[in-house]
Amino acid sequence: MFGLEGIGVPAGLALTLISAGLCIWYGLKNWNVGHLTEQEDRQKQAWIQEEHKVEETL
Amino acid sequence: MSIPLLTSVVLVYLSIVAFLTVKAYRGTNSAADYMLAGREIHPFVMAMSYGATFISTSAIIGFGGAAAVFGMSVLWLTFLTIIVGIFIAFVFFGRRTRLMGLNLNAHTFPELLGRRFNSRGIQGMTALLIFAAMPLYASVVLMGGGKFISQIMAIDYDVALFFLTLIVALYVIMGGLKAVMYTDAFQASIMFSGLMILLGFTYYKLGGITTAHQRLTDMQEIAVKIFGAKGHTGWTAFPELGSEYWLIVVTTIILGVGIGVLAQPQLIVRFMTVKSSRELNRAVLIGGIFILVAVGVPFIVGPLSNVFFYYENPATAGKISLLAADKNVAQIIPMYISTSMPQWFTALFMITMLSAAMSTLSSQFHAMGTALGRDIYEKALGRSGNSVLLTRIGILFAIMLSYFLAWGLPHFFEGGTAIIARGTAIFFGICAAAFLPMYFGAIYFRGMTKLSAYAGLVSGTLVSFFWLFFVHLKESKPLQLCNALFGVDSLAMGSKWALVDPLVIALPASILATILFNLWGRRLPEQHVQRCFDKIR
């Protein structure tokens, strides 16, 4: 395949391209999946406030 | 090379780095900003920063040079870095790490583990191992960058090393992780462009994709004649099963780095910098493409350089790459660039290498600094103080340590460049053995005990160091401790065990210890476990 010899190296090249394709497919398929939930946002804001309090105390 | 052209390119490059540093500095107001880039990083910046941190000068020059010797079989490492380092890391580790990090308000990788197992000891020990082992990795990356700059700009190595360290130190200390990640994304874009051009030019020069590969395949007899005794079967074929070259390619290069990437503290922390899991999903696409080019191109161009040096370059006609570069593996890629590429590309490649070195270094300095300032001093030792200031002091200390190591190593080791790829592989192996079972268990197994985490960490570390000092010939011989105690360079002298990478032994030992010790020890309170795994399904 493409001037390469045996099975090992062509298989490595094919798997490399397939795995890159898998990343592209997964990224496109889930492009808008997993957006920040309200609960996560509240949690984040709570940590920020707590951190500010600690810094003020120090 | 034209000095005015090179100087102009470097000045433009440094100006952009300076602009990004100032932007990050102005946007850094809290510990979360300094250590986690405010948990608001764009997926493009996150993915490119992850890739640029992973790919250092040693990956391009060191491993590219190694590919020129071992051949295209190392392409399996490209496959592993994409499937393990990007897909598995982002999809199966990234989402859980981000959520658990947010649930526990963890700012660093040791802090994530420490809070998960409710143990300041685990946080301290993890940070201590990072702080003890990472300077070796950072110093070899510094050496690679310093040596490359000194060769291209014809300046003294010590001078190049000093200025490289100073520039990286300035922007890491000033802007924290925001500066690191902004500059990483810029540097990764340069690396991507430089490597794409390099691949295009190489195939064009050698007659196209299939023709170039075929010409390399036709050099099989030459490869077997020179390296056949060690198991080489040609540059487009896999080494002979179980041979010396097979063991090096499979256990050290492919498995050592391919699996080690999962447990890199400076990479794991990036999962906690994004706003939501959506950003991680998007980063899979960007990261997959970047790693395909950044890891794949050197592994294709390295072996093909043999065709160029043997047939196309009159000055080295009849010589394979290794002989053309006077048997200096780290010289193969720079020599190929300077002899085969146009002058303007040499300037671009110089920036590509500078970017590769600086992006990895900045992340290493930041990871070591947070380990010392935040995890050891502030948390494990329980001293209070301004987190950002303590981390800045930690980073400064880490930079000085790495600088002195990079300055001293070439004075003690002859042909210092050979240590660059080894230092990288050693660090990846230690991280995988010591951290991976504990990290995997932490984010997947609710019932994992503190004792089990300690067992994995301690056994992985001890077995790695034992194998490095007493068995694996590549390290045990120059370290000389084995010889001083037992009168031999390796306890497995004469057998193939002396060629087996520490990871292959230490990782299974660490997994076994983690599983066995989970049978003992008290389980963590259910309320704490619930808090750790909140929203994780």
Side-chain angles (χ1 to χ4, degrees):
Chain A
M1 189 176 82
F2 296 121
L4 303 172
E5 206 184 340
I7 298 167
V9 172
L13 181 64
L15 286 171
T16 298
L17 296 172
I18 290 168
S19 56
L22 178 69
C23 289
I24 294 169
W25 171 79
Y26 183 88
L28 288 174
K29 188 175 169 279
N30 296 293
W31 192 257
N32 280 317
V33 176
H35 193 44
L36 189 72
T37 61
E38 271 180 34
Q39 196 190 354
E40 282 178 44
D41 197 37
R42 273 200 304 275
Q43 173 99 81
K44 200 171 132 187
Q45 295 308 323
W47 289 132
I48 292 170
Q49 278 174 5
E50 192 185 306
E51 206 167 272
H52 282 158
K53 269 186 205 162
V54 172
E55 274 162 18
E56 275 166 21
T57 314
L58 283 169
Chain B
M1 189 172 45
S2 159
I3 294 296
L5 171 71
L6 192 62
T7 312
S8 315
V9 172
V10 171
L11 283 178
V12 170
Y13 169 79
L14 291 179
S15 306
I16 297 172
V17 170
F19 166 75
L20 293 170
T21 305
V22 172
K23 184 178 158 60
Y25 179 70
R26 286 184 178 157
T28 298
N29 302 307
S30 65
D33 284 337
Y34 197 78
M35 284 179 244
L36 286 176
R39 290 196 173 103
E40 293 275 338
I41 281 291
H42 189 278
F44 175 78
V45 175
M46 188 271 176
M48 295 298 258
S49 171
Y50 184 96
T53 299
F54 178 36
I55 307 301
S56 66
T57 329
S58 67
I60 298 173
I61 293 185
F63 285 90
V69 177
F70 297 118
M72 287 190 182
S73 52
V74 290
L75 270 174
W76 276 81
L77 176 57
T78 317
F79 162 59
L80 273 191
T81 48
I82 298 172
I83 202 75
V84 178
I86 298 291
F87 191 77
I88 293 177
F90 280 52
V91 177
F92 296 103
F93 284 70
R95 197 181 66 85
R96 283 171 175 258
T97 304
R98 188 191 75 78
L99 284 169
M100 196 173 278
L102 185 65
N103 290 341
L104 301 172
N105 196 25
H107 290 72
T108 63
F109 174 60
E111 193 167 70
L112 175 80
L113 295 170
R115 291 192 174 179
R116 163 66 180 86
F117 294 110
N118 229 345
S119 163
R120 286 199 306 184
I122 286 179
Q123 181 171 357
M125 275 180 71
T126 305
L128 196 64
L129 182 59
I130 292 170
F131 195 75
M134 204 183 261
L136 172 70
Y137 179 29
S139 64
V140 295
V141 174
L142 257 179
M143 274 170 60
K147 279 185 180 292
F148 187 77
I149 295 168
S150 72
Q151 280 159 9
I152 294 284
M153 300 192 86
I155 56 172
D156 185 57
Y157 168 71
D158 291 344
V159 176
L161 188 69
F162 176 76
F163 281 103
L164 178 64
T165 311
L166 187 70
I167 292 165
V168 180
L170 270 176
Y171 76 77
V172 179
I173 293 173
M174 269 180 75
L177 196 60
K178 273 191 184 175
V180 170
M181 292 184 79
Y182 290 167
T183 50
D184 278 359
F186 163 62
Q187 288 156 343
S189 306
I190 294 176
M191 286 159 69
F192 186 85
S193 316
L195 289 168
M196 281 301 285
I197 295 170
L198 177 65
L199 183 71
F201 257 102
T202 301
Y203 277 135
Y204 173 74
K205 263 191 177 299
L206 302 180
I209 297 174
T210 306
T211 310
H213 293 168
Q214 192 58 55
R215 289 176 75 184
L216 188 63
T217 300
D218 295 340
M219 291 176 74
Q220 187 199 23
E221 272 183 33
I222 301 163
V224 174
K225 193 176 157 195
I226 300 171
F227 306 116
K230 291 178 176 178
H232 209 304
T233 60
W235 282 287
T236 59
F238 225 82
E240 206 175 300
L241 185 71
S243 65
E244 184 182 333
Y245 272 18
W246 187 90
L247 284 171
I248 295 171
V249 167
V250 174
T251 69
T252 302
I253 298 181
I254 298 175
L255 291 180
V257 181
I259 293 175
V261 63
L262 272 181
Q264 294 292 300
Q266 73 279 22
L267 298 180
I268 292 165
V269 78
R270 274 154 178 72
F271 298 139
M272 299 193 275
T273 63
V274 290
K275 199 173 173 180
S276 70
S277 301
R278 186 184 68 171
E279 275 68 31
L280 285 176
N281 292 336
R282 293 179 177 185
V284 172
L285 184 150
I286 302 158
I289 297 171
F290 177 78
I291 292 292
L292 171 71
V293 172
V295 182
V297 170
F299 288 171
I300 289 174
V301 171
L304 287 176
S305 67
N306 285 292
V307 180
F308 174 79
F309 286 123
Y310 203 89
Y311 296 112
E312 303 283 330
N313 189 31
T316 56
K319 284 183 181 174
I320 61 163
S321 302
L322 187 66
L323 298 178
D326 289 331
K327 295 186 179 174
N328 188 345
V329 175
Q331 267 304 317
I332 294 173
I333 296 291
M335 192 179 164
Y336 173 71
I337 303 290
S338 59
T339 49
S340 73
M341 295 288 144
Q343 206 177 68
W344 63 265
F345 183 79
T346 312
L348 177 66
F349 192 73
M350 156 87 184
I351 298 301
T352 304
M353 287 301 96
L354 208 55
S355 296
M358 285 169 74
S359 55
T360 306
L361 279 170
S362 59
S363 303
Q364 292 168 328
F365 290 158
H366 189 270
M368 287 187 285
T370 51
L372 184 65
R374 171 89 179 181
D375 298 311
I376 298 176
Y377 185 81
E378 201 183 341
K379 298 294 172 182
L381 298 178
R383 307 285 170 89
S384 60
N386 182 313
S387 282
V388 175
L389 182 66
L390 287 174
T391 306
R392 281 192 166 127
I393 294 168
I395 291 172
L396 184 66
F397 194 76
I399 289 171
M400 285 167 66
L401 186 64
S402 307
Y403 171 75
F404 284 116
L405 264 177
W407 173 79
L409 279 175
H411 293 276
F412 293 104
F413 288 92
E414 226 177 300
T417 43
I419 201 174
I420 295 172
R422 288 298 320 145
T424 306
I426 290 171
F427 181 74
F428 273 58
I430 292 172
C431 282
F435 302 144
L436 193 54
M438 173 173 60
Y439 172 45
F440 181 73
I443 58 171
Y444 270 96
F445 296 107
R446 289 167 186 256
M448 187 167 169
T449 64
K450 195 188 293 185
L451 184 69
S452 161
Y454 268 117
L457 176 62
V458 173
S459 60
T461 308
L462 291 181
V463 175
S464 291
F465 280 110
F466 170 78
W467 207 263
L468 283 169
F469 276 93
F470 296 104
V471 183
H472 198 226
L473 197 60
K474 279 254 193 295
E475 288 86 25
S476 64
K477 192 178 173 186
L479 288 169
Q480 294 183 0
L481 186 65
C482 187
N483 199 298
L485 292 176
F486 303 107
V488 283
D489 288 332
S490 162
L491 293 177
M493 202 69 189
S495 79
K496 284 188 175 166
W497 288 107
L499 302 170
V500 173
D501 196 79
L503 172 92
V504 177
I505 306 301
L507 181 59
S510 171
I511 293 171
L512 198 67
T514 307
I515 295 170
L516 279 177
F517 278 84
N518 205 45
L519 301 172
W520 296 288
R522 257 202 331 235
R523 290 202 167 197
L524 290 157
E526 190 51 36
Q527 200 185 0
H528 172 75
V529 176
Q530 284 291 350
R531 188 177 154 226
C532 294
F533 283 87
D534 187 28
K535 301 182 292 291
I536 299 178
R537 271 161 210 100

